[in-house]
Amino acid sequence: MSTNPSRVDGGELIARTLKAAGVRRIFALHGGHLEAFYRGCREHSLDLVDFRHEASAGHAADGHARATGEVGVCVVTAGPGFTNVVTAVASANLDGVPVVFIVGAPPLREAEFNVLQGGIDQIAMIRPACKWAHRITHGERIPDLLAMAIRQATTGRCGAVLLEVPIDVLHTPVAEADVTRPSGLGIHPRPAPSPGEVAAALAVLAEAKRPVILCGGEARFADCAQALASFAERVGAPVFANPRAAGILPHDHPLFAGESRNLAALQIGGQAGPDVVLMLGAKAGMFVGGRKTAMLPAGARLIQVLAQPEEIGRLRDIDVAIAADCGSALDVLLADAGERSWPDRQAWIAQVIGVRERAAAKSRELTAEHGIHPYQASLAVAEVAGSRACYVLDGGESSIWAASALRLDGPGQFATAGYLGLLGGGMGQAIGMQMARPDRRVVQIAGDGAIGFHLQEFETMVRHRLPIVTVVLNNRVWGMSLHGQQILFGESYDAISRLSDDTNYARIAEGFGCYGETVTRAEDVAPAMRRALDANRPACLDVRTDPTVVHPVMHGMLRAGAPGEVVIPYYESIPAR
């Protein structure tokens, strides 16, 4: 920081702009390119949370944003610091999570000098993976460009953005009189639907015999949970949530129908599916069944509310298209719905909620022969931790089992892999979530494959005194990989999908200073979870689960539907020709 009051360096400008934007915490890993920024953070009392790997710092900013609904910030150094964080950028952006990434870079004045941690065009590399990216070339422009980055991340469809600040731009003082203003930091537009769109949507809902509301990630960041509950109650529509919107209604709300895949269970069970679906902040694709019609029946009328107009109508025609903020749309819909009379839909509601209840009851009966059943382990953990806890799921098949066992009181209590299909993000997400919600306990449930990506962050948890409980569902295999191979090629087949039988993750965590415990019997999971919570420090339970248990979803993803079809693992099969 310059000692001349009429001049100021880039580190000071970044720190004071972030503070003006309401940011109080930055997730980072030290790098010499950013020394001026670290000093600026100290001068402005910004909390720097340091990690052992840049990817975890990025995932923590993501987890913090999911928990708070506000922008997360991650700052890492140039070269390998940048490349290590690319996965976190892509994951946050695909899931519509508002995160600002700031990365260092070699000096502009030494371009093409073959310098340390240079030789790559960081902005060119990251542009396809984020919502917006820019290289700052003049220090006096830092405030307005950083403000622009924050607006890009937090308005419209939220997403990840990246600013590159070369070291000479960051460290060289500039005249205070030349510094730009960080304009637009308080701008949070909430575009609303037109009167015609509202009337059309309500007309379709009024004519419906079997309406449902399907919520996605945009609804979570629209701060619309209360309006959603009131609207669903007014029109009599059960509410489903995909993983991005988990917790948008409390688990015990009489209209909460559970996970989005419960929609498919209606038709699979031989019952009539919905005839109208209000897709609230949910886009077409993997979380609504792709081109298949199990979740969204072919004959159902669709109302889609999204901030991204270009996304509306992807894969399916839409009967009523509304390009708007989900919260604003609900406010107007609710106001106009109050002026209408609505049919009694209790029989339909009971039918839909019954599907969720029967699935839960059936899951409770699951048992395993060669270890603890992953659902039973997850259920015991969730029942002890309770619905006030925050949950992070990290894994493939293990996360599918765990998701069905959770009970959430509200939004911001859940994070998991999304469209990127990420493994290894859980450690960072759990840390970011615990920092954001110190009044609640954070529980990470991870597969033993996923937990191996960033075991070193147990030390970060200990150093920052974060009482996160990590539950490793340890089946000694890459479960989704092995089970997929066996479905495709027979039970005797496997290729690079097995892990060591001897790895004890509880002992590894103890080595970092955590509380650790190994659990081998189903009846011991709940008592061990209570002890882990009571330890009031970072903890790890190594729960030995049955490697032969296969989730039914796997069969749906890996079996051909007709003779001659070519099975493409995890995607649509190719029809026979």
Side-chain angles (χ1 to χ4, degrees):
M1 182 173 295
S2 172
T3 57
N4 184 344
S6 66
R7 299 183 70 79
V8 60
D9 66 25
E12 159 69 16
L13 294 175
I14 293 176
R16 75 189 191 192
T17 302
L18 290 175
K19 187 169 185 177
V23 174
R24 294 293 177 267
R25 182 172 291 119
I26 295 100
F27 300 95
L29 192 151
H30 183 271
H33 293 82
L34 301 164
E35 287 294 356
F37 170 68
Y38 305 142
R39 185 167 178 180
C41 289
R42 295 190 65 172
E43 292 291 332
H44 289 277
S45 301
L46 298 179
D47 185 15
L48 282 168
V49 183
D50 57 321
F51 287 76
R52 299 293 298 270
H53 194 285
E54 287 88 357
S56 293
H59 297 314
D62 174 302
H64 196 275
R66 291 179 197 248
T68 62
E70 300 171 355
V71 67
V73 178
C74 173
V75 180
V76 298
T77 197
F82 161 77
T83 55
N84 279 346
V85 88
V86 168
T87 297
V89 176
S91 180
N93 193 56
L94 286 172
D95 285 355
V97 182
V99 183
V100 173
F101 292 85
I102 301 173
V103 301
L108 285 175
R109 66 187 299 273
E110 295 184 36
E112 303 299 339
F113 272 25
N114 290 333
V115 294
L116 174 69
Q117 296 183 336
I120 58 174
D121 187 335
Q122 297 179 153
I123 297 301
M125 290 176 67
I126 203 63
R127 273 204 177 108
C130 66
K131 185 178 179 183
W132 182 80
H134 186 76
R135 175 180 296 115
I136 298 179
T137 57
H138 294 78
E140 62 270 18
R141 290 290 311 279
I142 286 174
D144 76 278
L145 289 170
L146 180 50
M148 180 179 290
I150 293 169
R151 290 197 308 279
Q152 290 275 0
T154 58
T155 59
R157 181 188 185 271
C158 297
V161 303
L162 184 139
L163 276 180
E164 178 189 276
V165 189
I167 188 171
D168 51 348
V169 175
L170 186 70
H171 284 254
T172 302
V174 295
E176 186 77 73
D178 295 334
V179 172
T180 60
R181 290 179 54 79
S183 57
L185 287 175
I187 292 175
H188 303 289
R190 300 178 69 228
S194 70
E197 291 168 343
V198 172
L202 291 177
V204 170
L205 285 167
E207 294 169 0
K209 291 182 171 57
R210 301 182 304 279
V212 300
I213 301 172
L214 174 59
C215 297
E218 280 192 19
R220 185 271 169 270
F221 286 104
D223 191 23
C224 62
Q226 186 55 57
L228 170 64
S230 298
F231 181 71
E233 292 162 7
R234 185 73 187 92
V235 305
V239 176
F240 296 82
N242 74 25
R244 314 282 72 70
I248 197 162
L249 279 191
H251 69 96
D252 55 357
H253 191 283
L255 289 175
F256 180 57
E259 301 171 276
S260 53
R261 68 169 176 262
N262 284 354
L263 257 177
L266 279 167
Q267 294 186 86
I268 292 171
Q271 303 178 67
D275 60 352
V276 170
V277 181
L278 168 56
M279 299 171 64
L280 187 70
K283 61 184 182 180
M286 63 179 286
F287 290 116
V288 295
R291 285 188 288 186
K292 297 179 181 178
T293 58
M295 286 190 190
L296 304 178
R301 301 176 73 184
L302 304 182
I303 305 164
Q304 190 171 20
V305 180
L306 273 178
Q308 284 180 288
E310 69 275 14
E311 271 291 335
I312 298 176
R314 184 189 291 265
L315 302 184
R316 285 278 295 272
D317 285 331
I318 302 298
D319 294 87
V320 182
I322 300 177
D325 171 80
C326 290
S328 295
L330 280 173
D331 290 342
V332 181
L333 287 167
L334 179 58
D336 286 15
E339 300 175 1
R340 292 173 174 257
S341 59
W342 293 89
D344 184 346
R345 290 169 169 149
Q346 288 306 309
W348 166 242
I349 293 169
Q351 179 182 338
V352 172
I353 301 304
V355 170
R356 187 194 74 180
E357 293 174 344
R358 286 191 295 275
K362 187 176 181 180
S363 295
R364 285 180 176 273
E365 299 172 358
L366 294 170
T367 58
E369 297 181 4
H370 305 288
I372 304 168
H373 195 288
Y375 176 83
Q376 296 296 338
S378 301
L379 182 63
V381 166
E383 288 180 338
V384 172
S387 59
R388 272 186 51 81
C390 297
Y391 295 92
V392 174
L393 306 185
D394 191 0
E397 205 171 346
S398 61
S399 291
I400 304 174
W401 285 116
S404 299
L406 303 184
R407 305 292 181 265
L408 305 172
D409 282 346
Q413 292 179 234
F414 181 79
T416 190
Y419 288 100
L420 192 62
L422 170 70
L423 293 183
M427 297 292 270
Q429 287 181 328
I431 292 169
M433 191 165 279
Q434 187 68 83
M435 288 277 189
R437 309 294 287 270
D439 59 322
R440 298 183 184 234
R441 297 302 295 272
V442 172
V443 178
Q444 177 186 195
I445 303 177
D448 53 324
I451 202 68
F453 280 81
H454 292 293
L455 282 168
Q456 70 277 6
E457 302 304 345
F458 278 128
E459 189 272 339
T460 303
M461 295 178 185
V462 170
R463 181 160 33 87
H464 292 291
R465 300 181 180 179
L466 302 173
I468 297 164
V469 178
T470 296
V471 179
V472 181
L473 301 180
N474 183 0
N475 63 0
R476 286 79 66 200
V477 298
W478 293 97
M480 186 170 278
S481 299
L482 177 65
H483 298 152
Q485 291 172 348
Q486 292 175 338
I487 291 170
L488 287 171
F489 306 118
E491 292 187 4
S492 63
Y493 180 86
D494 67 82
I496 59 170
S497 55
R498 296 186 181 275
L499 301 171
S500 170
D501 288 339
D502 300 323
T503 305
N504 189 309
Y505 298 96
R507 301 289 85 79
I508 292 171
E510 283 182 322
F512 284 109
C514 301
Y515 174 85
E517 193 170 336
T518 304
V519 185
T520 58
R521 301 189 307 168
E523 60 267 31
D524 294 334
V525 175
M529 185 63 188
R530 292 190 190 97
R531 289 188 290 271
L533 289 169
D534 290 343
N536 204 33
R537 59 188 172 106
C540 178
L541 301 181
D542 185 321
V543 180
R544 302 304 171 94
T545 56
D546 188 339
T548 67
V549 170
V550 182
H551 197 285
V553 165
M554 294 296 298
H555 294 280
M557 290 193 295
L558 291 156
R559 280 190 174 163
E565 278 192 344
V566 179
V567 178
I568 305 298
Y570 314 117
Y571 300 93
E572 292 184 355
S573 295
I574 297 176
R577 297 183 186 276

